[in-house]
Amino acid sequence: MRKPYQPAASDIRLSAVLYALSDPRRLQIVQSLKDQAEQNCAVYHELMPKSTLTHHLKVLREAGVAKVRIEGTQHFYSLRTEELDQLFPGLMSAVLNAPPDLIE
Amino acid sequence: MRKPYQPAASDIRLSAVLYALSDPRRLQIVQSLKDQAEQNCAVYHELMPKSTLTHHLKVLREAGVAKVRIEGTQHFYSLRTEELDQLFPGLMSAVLNAPPDLIE
């Protein structure tokens, strides 16, 4: 299986990160990953159809916001908070701590 | 002349703010407003065609990132940093201080 693309830290760009974070569903996923080391993406199947989820996780991954670890048929997602904090200090903390009623 | 729409602080939402900030041209405009009390939007005519500029300023204004003051035929833009800092502490500072080479 081909490893899904995820950019090196040096290839992460602010416009792509902000775009990835600008969708309410993706913000919901990102906030739910806040306190998790990693999350099996199956937990989101209740929140949205699988094809929608696959699309949103791809946008987050390709922008460098999230990364995936594959174990057999399972995908475990986590945030790239440490790298993002180095590139854009304060950004992820602002986004992760935004009150849910101010998201959409 | 009808006053252009700009949301009340209580109507500003994170997803719209992040979307408005996710375009490299709009990030360029926003960063250029960083140290200005306000800016006559005519200064951006060198950077991009007028119709493009009008569109980008509208997106920034309608998301609550920037506001406009109209004096005769002139439009003066400024950032709504204070209100955004209250809603999403740290967000604007992270965006305004991002190195230009990490934007796009």
Side-chain angles (χ1 to χ4, degrees):
Chain A
M1 187 174 172
R2 199 165 60 82
K3 184 149 169 82
Y5 170 74
Q6 34 205 35
S10 57
D11 290 330
I12 295 176
R13 290 294 174 272
L14 181 60
S15 52
V17 168
L18 294 174
Y19 176 75
L21 294 170
S22 72
D23 181 277
R25 297 268 185 129
R26 292 197 288 272
L27 277 171
Q28 192 183 9
I29 295 172
V30 164
Q31 287 198 337
S32 81
L33 287 168
K34 178 184 171 185
D35 300 316
Q36 314 285 336
E38 59 179 18
Q39 184 76 273
N40 185 329
C41 70
V43 301
Y44 300 112
H45 290 169
E46 280 174 30
L47 294 178
M48 58 193 90
K50 197 180 169 191
S51 60
T52 311
L53 174 65
T54 304
H55 164 73
H56 287 321
L57 289 173
K58 181 172 185 253
V59 175
L60 289 170
R61 180 169 42 73
E62 293 188 346
V65 175
K67 63 180 180 228
V68 66
R69 182 175 68 80
I70 300 174
E71 205 179 293
T73 58
Q74 300 199 74
H75 289 55
F76 296 91
Y77 272 83
S78 57
L79 296 179
R80 297 178 68 173
T81 314
E82 211 167 297
E83 291 153 294
L84 291 166
D85 282 350
Q86 286 207 347
L87 292 165
F88 314 113
L91 177 66
M92 287 307 283
S93 152
V95 166
L96 291 172
N97 293 316
D101 58 322
L102 291 187
I103 281 183
E104 189 175 12
Chain B
M1 186 176 174
R2 200 164 58 85
K3 184 149 169 79
Y5 170 73
Q6 35 205 34
S10 57
D11 290 330
I12 295 176
R13 289 295 174 272
L14 181 60
S15 52
V17 168
L18 294 173
Y19 176 76
L21 294 170
S22 71
D23 180 278
R25 298 268 185 129
R26 292 197 289 271
L27 276 171
Q28 192 183 9
I29 294 172
V30 165
Q31 286 199 338
S32 81
L33 286 168
K34 179 184 170 186
D35 301 316
Q36 313 285 337
E38 60 180 16
Q39 184 74 277
N40 184 328
C41 69
V43 302
Y44 299 112
H45 290 168
E46 280 175 29
L47 294 179
M48 57 194 92
K50 197 179 170 191
S51 60
T52 311
L53 175 65
T54 303
H55 165 72
H56 286 321
L57 289 172
K58 181 172 185 251
V59 175
L60 289 170
R61 180 170 42 72
E62 293 188 346
V65 174
K67 63 180 180 228
V68 65
R69 181 175 67 80
I70 300 175
E71 206 179 294
T73 58
Q74 300 199 74
H75 288 56
F76 295 91
Y77 271 83
S78 57
L79 295 179
R80 297 177 67 173
T81 314
E82 211 167 297
E83 291 155 292
L84 291 166
D85 282 349
Q86 287 207 346
L87 292 166
F88 314 112
L91 177 66
M92 286 308 282
S93 153
V95 167
L96 291 172
N97 293 315
D101 59 322
L102 291 187
I103 281 183
E104 191 176 10

